[in-house]
Amino acid sequence: MCGIVGYIGFQEVTPIIINGLKRMEYRGYDSAGIALLAGETISITKRAGKVGDLENLVDLHPQSATIGIGHTRWATHGVPNDVNAHPHLDQTGSIALVHNGIIENHSAIRKRLERDGIEFKTDTDTESLVQLISAFFDITQDLEQAVRLALNEVDGTYGIVVVSSRDPEKLIAARRGSPLVLGINDGEYFVASDASAIVGYTRQVVYLEDGDMATLTREGYEVRTLGEEIVEHEIEEITYDIEQIEKGGFEHFMLKEIHEQPQTIMDSMRGRLIMEKGTAKLGGLREVLPVLNNASRIIITACGTSWHAALVGEYMLEHYARIPVEVEYASEFRYRDPIINEDDVVIAISQSGETADTLAALREAKMRGATVIGICNVVGSTIARETHAGVYIHAGPEIGVASTKAFTAQLVALSLLTLMLGRNRGFISIEEGKEFAQELMNIPGKVEQILAGTEDIKALAERYYQTSNALYLGRGYNFPSALEGALKLKEISYIHAEGYPAAEMKHGPIALIDENMPVVVIAPQDRIHEKVISNIQEVKARKGQVIAIVNHEDDVINDMVDHIISVPHTLDFLSPMLTSIPLQLLAYYIAVLRECDVDQPRNLAKSVTVE
Ligand code: G6P
């Protein structure tokens, strides 16, 4: 959602904050701001628009300071204008706050403070918190105490950083439901909602937990609970490099991340396949393996692209491991009073590991006694830490808002899980297991082959980029690929696109088909190939324009459709790892031709930490 960065130390703070905000801009990008603490005064610069716009404004009036906080926003309460941008000030102009999350009881707090004569300047929920801190400061004359008292009164979620000219040698950070990480260096300390904001300055980090409040000075940092108990968190090392969060010669992060997939797919299976035994080992699941092997049911919960990966997981786990699997939108799961018992395993899939709905769903499942497992990309993320066990997908930082390499790496993790459980439960023979493992190893090379055919996909994008609608059809393992292909297109090009199970088309979407409707049909040579051919005929009979994703040399389909995109053949259950690649590229090139902001599409955010 929003991005937060703060610094206290000996260096000029403005470039540190601006650089940090740029690295986190993918989290939210409708407005941005910075507060500098120089001597006795706090000066704020903020505006609607991108971090680049803020930087231009800051450059007009450079100021020297070594303490500051910054924020990049994804609006929830109040339109994204200059006034509603963070940081927010209290009435006296001496306390500044940046906030990620939602203060749910902000109206009640605001009314109470307004009755006491406080004048609010913004429409945000955040201002109620900074005014409340200020009111408590007037009573206690102690910044930490004031923050603590205020936080005890708020309902909702927050990751906050506070700075005050009334107590100028410190930053205070606190979290409940929104991630915050501290960065540690000699004589300087950082705080950010995402380690990528500070990795250029330090690799030593401490992940705050919900309920923590940290005080940072130039001499050190201290973490306490809101109940004032000291908390000791381990210092951890960030393992990725700065290059991994830069574009590396590509025009957009999304394109770079699409092209990284041969490597990321390999990374997500590295060391996890036991070729001679035809199985997989997932170290992070060791402790829950007996429960997993005997699970009466697996529920997979997720949002967005991760939910599509979950659907593929359902198909493969049921088919090969013979465990009943249900896939649930996390946002629905938590509120529908689900029946869960202690033999159930709930798997939460989340690239960021911070999605509020997914986190809430897993907490609900845990509370009801299930064993909860995370499949996450971001190491140390909240979901990764709150689950009983988990699998990291090792895709490296994903910056483009539209998820690509995380999706295919999630599919790898699910394939490994399927292989392991199928073998453990006796439904996959050793020979079959060896074949699966070998074919998994072949996938990166096959993805490379697809990426080599990018020019054909560009040409298709030229042909269709002005369309207003598109339909994506697939069956079996490639029904989720169709959903994902449609999601990619709508997310970044704003073309209305729908994904559908191909056979279900005749129960509704077929009414949309005419000579102007592009229909992408995913039709590799799998178990249900013949059936998909019939569905293509149904589209052609209504003059739809068919773009078919096929395996090499599919003469039958070749003669029927308008355009062909070839992908190499693979085992059915691995097929989405290949078929999703041209769909990512097609969406990407169409969005570029439509001059859309590919990496930061309108209204979306990378990590949705509000409900
Ligand atoms: C947002 C992102 C999507 C992502 C979804 C779930 O909507 O824009 O790309 O798929 O959140 O995110 P997660 O981090 O939980 O996988």
Side-chain angles (χ1 to χ4, degrees), residues 41 83 161 192 239 300 306 356 398 470 482 571 591 609:
T41 50
V83 174
V161 187
T239 49
I300 315 182
S306 299
E398 187 179 67
L571 298 170
T609 52

Side-chain angles (χ1 to χ4, degrees), residues 303-306 349-353 355 401 403 491 605-606 608:
C303 305
T305 291
S306 299
I349 305 183
S350 175
Q351 185 285 129
S352 62
T355 301
V401 165
S403 185
E491 279 180 317
K606 184 72 187 158
V608 182

Side-chain angles (χ1 to χ4, degrees), residues 149-167:
L149 289 169
L151 291 180
N152 276 326
E153 285 206 10
V154 300
D155 297 331
T157 54
Y158 54 79
I160 58 162
V161 187
V162 180
V163 67
S164 173
S165 56
R166 291 197 256 174
D167 189 357

Side-chain angles (χ1 to χ4, degrees), residues 282-478:
L282 293 161
L285 299 185
R286 200 177 308 121
E287 283 179 15
V288 297
L289 212 47
V291 186
L292 251 179
N293 286 336
N294 297 305
S296 56
R297 182 173 64 146
I298 293 178
I299 298 167
I300 315 182
T301 187
C303 305
T305 291
S306 299
W307 185 81
H308 295 155
L311 282 183
V312 181
E314 173 184 24
Y315 281 47
M316 58 172 91
L317 279 162
E318 288 209 338
H319 184 71
Y320 289 109
R322 306 305 295 157
I323 304 177
V325 179
E326 288 167 28
V327 174
E328 293 259 12
Y329 282 117
S331 52
E332 289 297 312
F333 178 74
R334 70 176 289 205
Y335 286 117
R336 66 168 191 78
D337 193 16
I339 299 171
I340 297 175
N341 54 56
E342 289 176 4
D343 302 331
D344 288 332
V345 172
V346 174
I347 302 180
I349 305 183
S350 175
Q351 185 285 129
S352 62
E354 302 293 349
T355 301
D357 287 324
T358 312
L359 181 59
L362 97 82
R363 284 178 178 157
E364 181 72 31
K366 202 172 170 185
M367 200 185 73
R368 291 176 186 237
T371 298
V372 292
I373 291 174
I375 297 183
C376 295
N377 190 31
V378 177
V379 175
S381 55
T382 310
I383 292 177
R385 282 181 290 118
E386 289 201 14
T387 36
H388 295 118
V391 181
Y392 281 123
I393 61 171
H394 298 308
E398 187 179 67
I399 310 289
V401 165
S403 185
T404 52
K405 64 176 181 172
F407 176 67
T408 46
Q410 287 165 344
L411 297 181
V412 173
L414 289 161
S415 311
L416 295 170
L417 181 65
T418 301
L419 178 57
M420 183 180 80
L421 291 182
R423 290 283 292 120
N424 290 353
R425 290 165 58 86
F427 293 107
I428 300 177
S429 68
I430 183 160
E431 289 71 31
E432 221 180 347
K434 282 181 181 173
E435 188 199 348
F436 288 2
Q438 185 50 55
E439 185 53 18
L440 260 168
M441 292 296 286
N442 294 339
I443 294 289
K446 293 185 177 184
V447 172
E448 253 163 39
Q449 287 176 38
I450 300 170
L451 292 172
T454 301
E455 287 307 314
D456 295 347
I457 296 169
K458 264 190 203 169
L460 260 183
E462 293 271 2
R463 166 79 180 72
Y464 287 106
Y465 78 97
Q466 284 168 317
T467 188
S468 320
N469 296 289
L471 195 57
Y472 286 67
L473 304 176
R475 298 184 74 153
Y477 291 106
N478 280 303

Side-chain angles (χ1 to χ4, degrees), residues 231-249:
V231 189
E232 302 279 355
H233 291 307
E234 253 177 61
I235 298 180
E236 298 183 40
E237 176 105 7
I238 301 175
T239 49
Y240 57 83
D241 295 323
I242 195 96
E243 293 77 54
Q244 281 178 271
I245 51 172
E246 290 181 340
K247 285 188 199 149

Side-chain angles (χ1 to χ4, degrees), residues 58-111:
V58 166
D59 285 348
L60 291 179
H61 309 283
Q63 290 188 57
S64 182
T66 54
I67 303 179
I69 57 179
H71 188 268
T72 173
R73 179 170 186 243
W74 187 88
T76 57
H77 291 66
V79 294
N81 58 19
D82 292 357
V83 174
N84 289 336
H86 298 218
H88 291 293
L89 279 175
D90 72 321
Q91 180 162 265
T92 66
S94 63
I95 301 176
L97 168 79
V98 287
H99 167 225
N100 183 7
I102 293 178
I103 307 297
E104 286 168 3
N105 56 341
H106 68 100
S107 303
I109 296 173
R110 184 177 182 132
K111 278 193 193 120

Side-chain angles (χ1 to χ4, degrees), residues 180-199:
L180 279 182
V181 59
L182 308 183
I184 297 159
N185 237 358
D186 260 358
E188 56 177 0
Y189 295 86
F190 305 78
V191 54
S193 45
D194 189 324
S196 62
I198 53 177
V199 66

